[in-house]
Amino acid sequence: MRLIGKSGAKSGGAVEADTDAWAESAESPESRPGALPAQRTSGLSERPAVGGSGPDSLVHVSARQFSAAVGPYRAGGEESPAGAALDPAGLDPTSFETALAARESAALEARHRQAADGGDPEAAGRLGTLLLRRGDLEDAEPYLRAAAAAGLRAAANNLGVLLHQQGHRAEAGQWWRQAAVAGSAPAAHALGLQLRDQGEEEAAEYWLHFAADHGHPLGAYALGDLMEHRRDVRAERWFKVSADAGHREAAYRLARMREAAGDKETAEAWYRTAAARSHARAALRLGVLLEERARTDQSLLEEAARWYRQSAQNGEPRAACALGFLLRDSGDVGAAAEWWQEAAEAGDGNAANALGALHASRGEAKAAEHWYRTALDAGDQNGAFNLGLLCAGTGRDQQAEQWYRRAAYAGHREACNALAVVLLQRGDESGAEPWFSKAAEAGSVDGAFNLGVLHAGRGEARQAQEWYARAAAEGHGEAALQLAVAQEQRGNLSGALERYRQAAAGGSAEGAFRLASVLDRRGDADAEAEHWYALAADAGHRRAQVRMGVRAAERGALEIAESWYRRAAEAGSRSAAFNLGLLLARQDSEAEAMLWYTRAADAGHGRAALRLALLALRRGEPVQAENWCRRAIDYGPAEVAERAGRLLGALHAELSA
């Protein structure tokens, strides 16, 4: 039995400010109590360019902090007191630019505050937005309320953001609705998310549709998410709209949908789009697709490795695990182990199992057990199964059974099969059968085959054939072999040939040998028969090796024949040992020939025993000859026994005379 041997940042439901204001706090909405309703899945959107007066990027430094650092701002060009003025030569450029930006921000805030306090709603809206962005919610609220009451939709939207952050969701919804009715796409998006979270999906769809139709990429994404949840085919359209606008999670979701539909080419393109924006799971899936294509184009493996590495570095442990397997297959086991360890320590059970298997292959049972237990702690039941294999390999059969049983009860199909084998070897057939059945029903090919063996042992041929057929359909070579033998016994040679081919393709050396034998007897496919004999012989099938030796000897290729005979004879084939003796005798290597004759005769080969009797007579050793004759009679076959009997009679007559 073989060893089964941090995604991209969440977007949350961050509400964009209207076209003339941006109100999102520098802090991620998801990290604050009362943050905006979150999208159901993670995503990232780039902030659109924001119009309005003031610098494109504001530095979040309060006026008090600025004054403490560079002195108070003096309107009308009034100079600062001595020693308070900035000296660019005395500061590094970064500090100077930061301080300058802070000074401009403070000046802007002062102008907005003066105008807002004078009753200007536009200034109140801008000041409230600036304060909201900085996190000064209490100071921002009265200004945003004043601007919203004056009918400014951007202020109404941002007031909704502020109230939502304060936990006043109902009132936030009212202001978002007011802004949305006035045409604010960001407010429609926020309102749609809130309604969705309240279970009002029809109303949510209306407002998300409004936001999407007005070019809001987060609205398009949320609409696609809602539609996919409802299995609406229009979801793909809205994911594409959002992805085209730069939303990386939408690109990833679109790629997943295309991949599920079998369109891997389009899926790969969208995975690339999302991965290029540092989406960890998209980079992982892109690597998987490239690795699959690398079966026909090895040059893609390097690119797959690059995407796996990017995904792993962005916190995706599955990518680190996949990169480990890729490196192992390329021969760099050391680097593979490093990535597996990183993935395992991040909670990837598959990587922990891979590390365990690596240590087990080196004979490091203690380290292997540690990593298998780590896999099990991560919820991967392969860890329990592999612990069973490890214990079985070190003679701890009782512990092995316990681990198999734990994994089997958790639904691990190969553990079910392994547990059944343990019980059957112990003679508990009634206990083994239900576990074989559970393994087979769960899709274990070995379980189906073993269930067939169980029924065949009871003489239940029909049930056995059914389970063999299920296993053979999944590529089990030995199951196909059993079906082929049954077909041949019934005289269905064409059916037998088909099954023998299936068995050979499934890795059955006996299947390949029997296929070659049938073709050989038929006599019309010599080249194909040779191919299957060679395949079986290379897999260590001794009778196939003997057959290859015979065919080579018939062609006069004696060196090749000798090589095949030696391989089979050294593996224990008595026929090969006898044939090797004959070949060596013809090459005047009588002494070595005697050794191989003796090995064959000791293994029960009648012809070898008869040959040794004749050689003993030639050397004038009648007692030895008589002993070998008696063994030849015992071994057979009938014609050999008859010849040995005649020779023994002649020996007795000569000795009596």
Side-chain angles (χ1 to χ4, degrees), residues 10 364 465:
K10 293 185 177 180
E364 300 164 357
Q465 294 292 301

Side-chain angles (χ1 to χ4, degrees), residues 175-327:
W175 286 109
W176 279 332
R177 187 179 296 275
Q178 178 176 315
V181 169
S184 169
H189 167 243
L191 179 59
L193 291 182
Q194 187 181 64
L195 291 168
R196 181 205 67 188
D197 291 348
Q198 292 171 357
E200 301 177 42
E201 291 192 358
E202 288 188 12
E205 182 179 342
Y206 173 83
W207 287 112
L208 292 175
H209 214 299
F210 180 93
D213 283 340
H214 285 74
H216 196 286
L218 286 176
Y221 172 76
L223 180 59
D225 182 42
L226 181 64
M227 287 182 170
E228 186 184 39
H229 170 68
R230 291 155 61 173
R231 303 186 186 282
D232 190 323
V233 295
R234 295 174 296 168
E236 188 170 330
R237 171 198 169 193
W238 292 109
F239 281 143
K240 186 177 186 306
V241 168
S242 184
D244 285 338
H247 195 291
R248 67 178 188 177
E249 179 69 15
Y252 172 72
R253 296 280 292 278
L254 181 58
R256 293 292 287 181
M257 295 179 77
R258 287 287 82 218
E259 185 180 4
D263 183 5
K264 291 191 175 182
E265 185 176 350
T266 304
E268 182 179 322
W270 283 112
Y271 281 137
R272 284 186 184 279
T273 299
R277 296 169 184 154
S278 299
H279 193 290
R281 284 171 294 149
L284 168 62
R285 289 303 308 164
L286 178 56
V288 170
L289 290 186
L290 290 169
E291 190 174 355
E292 288 175 356
R293 284 175 50 203
R295 294 168 188 165
T296 55
D297 184 357
Q298 288 292 306
S299 65
L300 294 173
L301 284 178
E302 186 176 339
E303 186 183 359
R306 287 201 304 271
W307 289 114
Y308 283 148
R309 184 173 282 104
Q310 174 182 306
S311 179
Q313 289 169 343
N314 283 334
E316 177 54 72
R318 291 174 298 172
C321 180
L323 180 57
F325 282 111
L326 205 61
L327 291 167

Side-chain angles (χ1 to χ4, degrees), residues 116-129:
D117 290 343
D120 184 344
E122 293 278 354
R126 290 194 177 94
L127 177 60
T129 298

